[in-house]
Amino acid sequence: MNRTPQVHGKTTDEQTRCVHYATELDTIAIRFACCGRYYPCHLCHVETADHPAEQWPREQWNQPAILCGSCWAELTIETYKNVDDCPECAAPFNPACAAHSDYYFGA
């Protein structure tokens, strides 16, 4: 049985855009290392989770932790960090997300 992951936080549409990041390219959610829950962004986690966020350690970047909001494919962190668009559906990812990488992924 294939189950669609639940996205938590202040989403605004079915492609995981949120009240903080809602451009056409903002179509991913990140599974947080601390709780295993998908959120559209770090601000959604801060506002709705009952605990502080934790970064994914480098040695765990092989874990599926990125959800494409266009096709709902789950990608590993390594894959996500090495592509410009979804390898499953070719939806482009927001290149500006790299500026927030340290909120999610450790060195």
Side-chain angles (χ1 to χ4, degrees):
M1 181 163 103
N2 191 3
R3 299 181 71 172
T4 302
Q6 182 178 1
V7 178
H8 302 269
K10 299 179 177 184
T11 58
T12 61
D13 69 15
E14 67 283 349
Q15 290 187 314
T16 76
R17 290 178 187 90
C18 69
V19 297
H20 308 104
Y21 298 99
T23 72
E24 184 176 322
L25 298 177
D26 291 316
T27 59
I28 66 151
I30 299 106
R31 184 167 58 92
F32 277 69
C34 49
C35 57
R37 296 175 128 193
Y38 278 103
Y39 289 88
C41 77
H42 62 99
L43 297 170
C44 284
H45 186 274
V46 167
E47 293 175 1
T48 62
D50 62 358
H51 58 273
E54 294 177 17
Q55 294 175 319
W56 282 97
R58 177 67 183 96
E59 61 273 7
Q60 292 182 14
W61 284 11
N62 62 342
Q63 300 294 313
I66 307 299
L67 183 68
C68 174
S70 293
C71 71
W72 291 76
E74 292 184 278
L75 311 174
T76 66
I77 298 163
E78 285 177 336
T79 298
Y80 171 70
K81 290 180 76 61
N82 287 304
V83 298
D84 294 325
D85 44 48
C86 178
E88 298 295 321
C89 72
F93 295 144
N94 190 338
C97 289
H100 307 129
S101 184
D102 60 333
Y103 288 123
Y104 313 106
F105 315 120

